[in-house]
Amino acid sequence: KKVCLWAATLPRIPATSLALHNFDVNYGLQFGDLWPSVRVAMLCEQKYGALINNFSDVPGLLSELRFKGARDFVQSGRSLGEGTGGAGRLPGEGLTPATGSTEEESMLPEMSPNIRCFVFPKGDIARFKPARPDSCGTLSYYLLDAASLLPVLALDVREGHTVLDLCAAPGGKTLALLQTHAISQLTVNDVSESRMNRVRRTLQSYLPREVWSGNRVAMTTIDGQLWGEMARSTFDRVLVDVPCTTDRHSVMEEENNIFKKMRTKERQKLPALQTQLLVAGMEATRPGGVVLYSTCTLSQLQNEMVVEQAMHVAQDERGVTVEVEDLGPLERHFESTFHFAPRQRLGLLVIPHLTANFGPTYLCKLRRVR
Ligand code: SAM
């Protein structure tokens, strides 16, 4: 009885402290001298980007953002026929990059089109105001960690593609995918019904009804691990943005923290779940198509090691072969906006830094060959 009383009154260690301790041990080893600067950045205010909503039309919005010192980190360096109007111009109306006009442009990485996102430059910690609605009530931009757009850009969506967003909630990347205006059929999936409701609400606030309510967007709440068998060799592009230890959230917020003692088992099972989700994504991709794996953790165990393990499982158990694609061109293109970790064995890792406090975001692009 005495022991129980003692245990019940023992001050509980906050989950954020447990997370930080875990990271100090693991990332101290993984990053060496780099870890203290990543650590301090993760404990400071994160930076946002404003994903421009191509379906909204707030006159003068882009000029206003530029006037405040923000710039479009995706499209700068590309020749766009941007004009002076609001954000409401849709693809085909001057938003597509003019190709091959300079040598620099021919070296551009392959990226999903028509995505625009404004950020303040390195070292500038200004914040964006909440987005204004246009005359129809559609919000003009969506605030998100700008690094979380890299997986969508690297997915390299092209005109007419079918796309599966396997773990979609709360829907930031889904919204970015729809900005491309290139997708013929988008399947938006998340295992959680309540979280899918959040995706619905987001899409409703940002997109005209005809975009998300027709046959072009399907919403499903199926365990992502089942998609490989359910839709083998189906999609041109599959985004596998898995549940992870969400490192920045874990060191900052007690609520819904995966480092809480009662969630220890769930946390330990993450790499196995991530592997199964990625294998399913590989299987659902058609040969020649692309599957993009991403997380918001620095953990090698949840990043590169999951990719390696999934490649083995896909090959040995499903007869599916994928090859890792080089993201070097993407890294070079965006090095003035993000801090990238020194070369990974596989994929690309954005690390938080006080001058560019985005991430963590890990991404690895895989092409199915068989
Ligand atoms: N892609 C989202 C975005 O950009 O807003 C973030 C995805 S979040 C990192 C991971 C999501 O995976 C959570 O919404 C969670 O509900 C979902 N999830 C967890 N287990 C899953 C499973 N077995 N199948 C499908 N989704 C799952």
Side-chain angles (χ1 to χ4, degrees):
K1 200 175 176 189
K2 226 178 184 178
V3 173
C4 283
L5 241 176
W6 172 78
T9 51
L10 195 71
R12 201 181 283 147
I13 303 174
T16 46
S17 305
L18 293 172
L20 201 52
H21 177 71
N22 178 298
F23 295 166
D24 280 335
V25 173
N26 291 304
Y27 300 156
L29 276 174
Q30 192 179 317
F31 293 101
D33 291 347
L34 207 57
W35 171 235
S37 89
V38 179
R39 182 188 203 272
V40 78
M42 279 217 292
L43 291 167
C44 290
E45 195 176 339
Q46 96 180 92
K47 221 171 151 173
Y48 284 89
L51 170 67
I52 301 297
N53 183 12
N54 294 328
F55 299 93
S56 155
D57 192 3
V58 171
L61 173 72
L62 303 187
S63 326
E64 197 182 303
L65 291 173
R66 285 196 199 98
F67 180 74
K68 288 186 176 150
R71 65 178 181 96
D72 179 354
F73 84 90
V74 185
Q75 302 295 349
S76 55
R78 317 193 113 196
S79 316
L80 289 175
E82 252 191 68
T84 53
R89 231 176 299 93
L90 290 175
E93 295 176 85
L95 255 175
T96 333
T99 46
S101 56
T102 66
E103 199 182 316
E104 211 175 289
E105 269 177 26
S106 64
M107 287 163 65
L108 287 173
E110 292 175 329
M111 286 197 297
S112 302
N114 300 316
I115 292 173
R116 294 180 290 175
C117 184
F118 278 71
V119 292
F120 289 100
K122 273 190 178 170
D124 185 340
I125 57 165
R127 293 182 215 159
F128 293 98
K129 285 197 294 201
R132 268 191 293 144
D134 67 7
S135 55
C136 302
T138 308
L139 293 170
S140 52
Y141 53 73
Y142 180 86
L143 295 179
L144 79 183
D145 182 333
S148 73
L149 279 183
L150 293 179
V152 179
L153 290 166
L155 192 61
D156 186 22
V157 169
R158 309 259 172 111
E159 196 61 41
H161 272 171
T162 55
V163 180
L164 168 63
D165 187 357
L166 196 68
C167 306
K173 296 187 187 69
T174 313
L175 185 62
L177 282 168
L178 286 163
Q179 299 301 321
T180 64
H181 221 256
I183 298 173
S184 65
Q185 219 284 324
L186 174 65
T187 303
V188 186
N189 181 75
D190 198 284
V191 75
S192 156
E193 190 87 47
S194 60
R195 286 175 63 82
M196 270 306 276
N197 285 333
R198 278 184 67 186
V199 182
R200 277 190 197 95
R201 282 198 295 276
T202 302
L203 298 190
Q204 281 166 16
S205 316
Y206 283 86
L207 305 170
R209 198 179 174 78
E210 61 273 18
V211 175
W212 55 267
S213 64
N215 299 335
R216 285 171 65 176
V217 181
M219 305 236 189
T220 54
T221 46
I222 297 167
D223 184 340
Q225 297 170 92
L226 303 175
W227 273 93
E229 297 156 39
M230 271 174 32
R232 194 178 156 92
S233 310
T234 301
F235 298 94
D236 295 301
R237 298 287 185 263
V238 178
L239 179 60
V240 185
D241 186 38
V242 292
C244 68
T245 44
T246 51
D247 294 358
R248 196 184 275 275
H249 178 90
S250 292
V251 295
M252 294 303 279
E253 305 277 341
E254 272 312 296
E255 206 188 315
N256 200 21
N257 193 313
I258 197 156
F259 281 85
K260 282 192 175 147
K261 277 269 184 287
M262 63 186 185
R263 295 185 70 185
T264 303
K265 283 226 166 71
E266 182 192 345
R267 180 162 52 83
Q268 287 167 345
K269 284 187 192 155
L270 276 175
L273 172 62
Q274 292 159 341
T275 305
Q276 286 310 317
L277 287 166
L278 180 52
V279 170
M282 290 171 176
E283 209 179 347
T285 306
R286 68 158 174 80
V290 169
V291 54
L292 199 301
Y293 178 75
S294 59
T295 73
C296 52
T297 175
L298 298 164
S299 161
Q300 255 170 351
L301 207 65
Q302 298 174 65
N303 294 339
E304 293 173 311
M305 284 161 92
V306 165
V307 173
E308 279 168 341
Q309 179 66 11
M311 286 173 76
H312 284 131
V313 174
Q315 175 80 70
D316 299 346
E317 297 176 18
R318 315 278 167 95
V320 168
T321 312
V322 297
E323 274 172 3
V324 177
E325 296 239 317
D326 179 25
L327 289 174
L330 196 85
E331 178 178 359
R332 283 190 289 281
H333 189 65
F334 291 123
E335 65 192 358
S336 62
T337 304
F338 302 110
H339 264 263
F340 291 99
R343 264 293 158 95
Q344 305 290 292
R345 264 180 310 126
L346 304 170
L348 208 55
L349 178 65
V350 175
I351 51 174
H353 190 276
L354 279 180
T355 64
N357 210 348
F358 301 110
T361 293
Y362 173 79
L363 56 150
C364 187
K365 182 178 178 181
L366 304 150
R367 192 171 293 275
R368 180 163 169 191
V369 283
R370 247 197 333 269

